[in-house]
Amino acid sequence: MLLDQNRTPLFDAVKYHVKRNAVPLQIPGHKHGNGLEEYRDFVGENVLRMDLNQTRGIDFLWDPPAVIAEAERLLADAFGAEHAFFLINGTTSGVQAMIMSACKPGEQVIIPRNAHKSIFNGLILSGARPVYVLPEVSDRLGIVLGVTEDSLAAAIKENPGTKAVLVINPSYYGIASNLKGIVEAARQNNIPVLADEAHGTHMHFHGCFPVSAMKAGADMSAVSLHKTGGSLTQSSALLIGAGKVDPGYVRQVLNLTYTSSPSYILLCSLDVARKQLATRGAQILERVLEITRWVREEINKIDGLFAPDKGFFEETGSFGFDETKLLINVQELGLTGYEVEEMLARDYNILIELADMYNILAIISIGERKEYLEALVSALQDISRTAARRGTKKIEAFQFNPKVVMPPRDAFYTPKRSVPLEHCAGEVAGEMVMVYPPGIPVVCMGEIITEEIVEYVKMLKREKCTLQGTADPKADNILILS
């Protein structure tokens, strides 16, 4: 039976509840904003009236019998999934639930080394043991790409008994592996495939993007509707495909970390964003692709800049590419990506998504306006004209695969001590060290810290990158296992 994707059952129920204006003798304590007047005056009364407690008429998130259940069915239908769950703790909670659902303590899961910190936290929560697959690299851009089918197949062969394969679709930079091929390789060994699609929500709704996890036949997928699908920050979804995964068990796992006080403001934004994607997604994304291709062409006219297109990644490694990730290589300017990011923010009031040593990344999404991108082009033209061209730096794609001496969960519970960064080489990390964004750890707890890692972290500090994961905010000291 075809579902009516024009419906928004949860949003309609909440709007009715707001209009009803019932006497609020329950939490939240601000009581329609009366107890938070300054905030209400800025954001508006409707937002505060939508801030409801789980109650009759608007359903219960952890075991919904009514409007949330219907809204989740519509969500699953929109993405071609068998089941779907609303998430209001970001895709992080979905990624962790996938790992915890697929792996018991001590069981192995194959993951790419360039995984997000949420995956490593999922290893701690589940007790699973990681088997890392190194992605390919691009010397032209100085970034890692994706994992290949061959490397994935080799990891499966070398690690019999593996309980799951986790893939990133696409990476923060928009690069996607051959997901159909990976799913087939895993399926031949009866291994479920889990997909971190934090940056790929939109890909399901237009044919010009890399294939989505559900279309590729993956078993589970965590999608950040708030990143590229239009919902509010922190709202995401967990999708279940047909086959190996028991949705009832996944619900139990989610309930371990679900809040008992979910935000209906976030939940309603998911309901409306799903409707928009399902009914008008292709049309909206066609417009997004038009302005994306325009801006990439304009940037490639600027001296010293290179914005790779889909063809570049297909030629360099047969990888797919999400065109809405506007990756711009700035190496020929003699500037680092970090310096260009700072200049854009300081001098032009333009905020980009992330920077690394050689690139900046802007996200183009369904809410894009061409004037935003015109401002970016104008700013980059100015920067190119005034760049000192200090000489081209050699690009090296930093990729570490430290020796794992202890599973992340065991390392998490092992006593630790703080040691100056310069004295950490040869020690076992007791915490993650990462740049955020993108949130990919340089080293994880339970891994040997090498001299190369120490020097790389020092370089990141010199470039004033935002380092996270360390108890010491400045990362002058690192926790190691005692």
Side-chain angles (χ1 to χ4, degrees):
M1 181 180 68
L2 294 176
L3 301 183
D4 182 2
Q5 288 291 342
N6 287 289
R7 286 182 46 73
T8 50
L10 177 58
F11 187 42
D12 290 347
V14 169
K15 285 191 293 184
Y16 173 78
H17 199 85
V18 169
K19 185 178 180 180
R20 173 185 175 191
N21 197 27
V23 176
L25 300 180
Q26 55 183 190
I27 56 174
H30 61 71
K31 302 295 179 79
H32 297 170
N34 296 324
L36 201 61
E37 293 182 5
E38 181 181 357
Y39 186 76
R40 181 191 62 194
D41 291 346
F42 183 79
V43 303
E45 187 172 329
N46 272 354
V47 173
L48 275 299
R49 287 183 175 272
M50 289 177 66
D51 189 28
L52 300 165
N53 183 38
Q54 296 188 106
T55 186
R56 64 176 64 202
I58 56 172
D59 217 345
F60 301 90
L61 180 61
W62 57 79
D63 189 19
V67 290
I68 290 179
E70 184 181 354
E72 288 181 336
R73 283 194 295 271
L74 286 163
L75 181 64
D77 179 70
F79 280 89
E82 289 292 309
H83 301 274
F85 300 100
F86 283 155
L87 305 174
I88 37 76
N89 192 27
T91 301
T92 291
S93 62
V95 167
Q96 293 169 354
M98 289 195 300
I99 298 173
M100 293 169 70
S101 298
C103 301
K104 294 181 174 61
E107 294 180 337
Q108 291 182 329
V109 55
I110 295 173
I111 64 174
R113 178 59 204 182
N114 62 323
H116 186 263
K117 66 175 184 176
S118 62
I119 294 174
F120 294 97
N121 287 336
L123 298 175
I124 295 171
L125 291 171
S126 67
R129 301 174 66 95
V131 174
Y132 295 127
V133 177
L134 289 180
E136 300 294 299
V137 300
S138 168
D139 291 331
R140 171 70 175 85
L141 299 173
I143 63 173
V144 296
L145 301 171
V147 298
T148 64
E149 296 168 66
D150 289 344
S151 61
L152 194 283
I156 292 175
K157 183 177 180 180
E158 293 166 8
N159 296 275
T162 292
K163 295 300 180 180
V165 169
L166 194 150
V167 295
I168 304 168
N169 189 51
S171 72
Y172 213 146
Y173 291 101
I175 301 155
S177 301
N178 179 3
L179 188 53
K180 283 186 176 180
I182 289 173
V183 168
E184 182 58 32
R187 185 167 287 155
Q188 290 175 3
N189 293 273
N190 199 34
I191 300 174
V193 175
L194 323 176
D196 175 358
E197 288 193 299
H199 296 278
T201 296
H202 59 293
M203 298 196 315
H204 186 82
F205 300 94
H206 195 287
C208 285
F209 295 107
V211 67
S212 69
M214 289 297 104
K215 286 183 179 178
D219 298 278
M220 301 178 74
S221 167
V223 293
S224 293
L225 272 85
H226 71 91
K227 284 187 172 72
T228 62
S231 67
L232 296 184
T233 296
Q234 202 174 309
S235 60
S236 296
L238 181 58
L239 308 174
I240 312 295
K244 301 180 181 67
V245 179
D246 176 8
Y249 182 65
V250 175
R251 174 78 75 182
Q252 286 182 315
V253 171
L254 284 170
N255 284 342
L256 294 175
T257 55
Y258 260 167
T259 176
S260 59
S261 302
S263 167
Y264 280 85
I265 299 169
L266 299 182
L267 292 172
C268 285
S269 78
L270 284 169
D271 205 18
V272 177
R274 179 271 313 156
K275 171 188 173 181
Q276 179 173 262
L277 287 171
T279 59
R280 297 193 296 119
Q283 174 188 347
I284 294 170
L285 290 167
E286 184 64 29
R287 179 189 65 84
V288 170
L289 285 168
E290 286 178 8
I291 61 175
T292 299
R293 290 162 183 167
W294 169 83
V295 72
R296 185 170 276 113
E297 184 177 334
E298 292 300 307
I299 288 171
N300 280 324
K301 296 175 183 177
I302 301 174
D303 185 33
L305 298 181
F306 171 56
D309 60 10
K310 189 158 56 173
F312 172 86
F313 292 101
E314 291 172 348
E315 292 170 6
T316 57
S318 300
F319 294 104
F321 182 57
D322 171 10
E323 296 179 64
T324 66
K325 306 301 189 292
L326 183 58
L327 177 62
I328 306 169
N329 183 265
V330 301
Q331 181 206 13
E332 296 296 331
L333 296 180
L335 298 169
T336 67
Y338 304 118
E339 290 170 325
V340 175
E341 176 190 31
E342 182 178 0
M343 294 166 72
L344 287 170
R346 181 192 64 214
D347 301 332
Y348 302 94
N349 200 29
I350 295 173
L351 302 179
I352 61 168
E353 181 65 19
L354 70 81
D356 60 33
M357 278 296 295
Y358 308 107
N359 308 280
I360 61 173
L361 178 71
I363 302 294
I364 304 174
S365 69
I366 62 173
E368 206 61 60
R369 294 183 177 178
K370 191 173 182 181
E371 54 261 39
Y372 296 164
L373 300 177
E374 289 171 338
L376 175 64
V377 170
S378 177
L380 291 174
Q381 288 169 338
D382 280 354
I383 291 172
S384 174
R385 281 193 292 267
T386 59
R389 302 296 203 283
R390 296 180 305 224
T392 300
K393 297 181 181 180
K394 180 182 183 297
I395 283 186
E396 181 179 354
F398 292 98
Q399 184 173 212
F400 300 108
N401 190 22
K403 181 180 179 181
V404 180
V405 299
M406 186 180 296
R409 172 184 266 185
D410 293 350
F412 181 81
Y413 287 109
T414 297
K416 303 169 183 66
R417 57 190 175 91
S418 181
V419 172
L421 173 63
E422 57 268 24
H423 296 156
C424 284
E427 302 288 353
V428 180
E431 60 186 353
M432 287 188 283
V433 183
M434 74 194 82
V435 183
Y436 194 90
I440 297 170
V442 177
V443 67
C444 298
M445 56 184 71
E447 298 177 348
I448 296 288
I449 303 172
T450 64
E451 187 63 44
E452 290 78 13
I453 288 174
V454 171
E455 292 304 314
Y456 184 59
V457 173
K458 287 180 179 178
M459 181 274 294
L460 294 173
K461 287 164 58 64
R462 287 194 300 270
E463 296 297 335
K464 299 180 181 179
C465 302
T466 302
L467 292 171
Q468 290 192 359
T470 54
D472 176 3
K474 296 181 179 179
D476 293 331
N477 296 279
I478 306 295
L479 291 180
I480 63 171
L481 302 190
S482 298

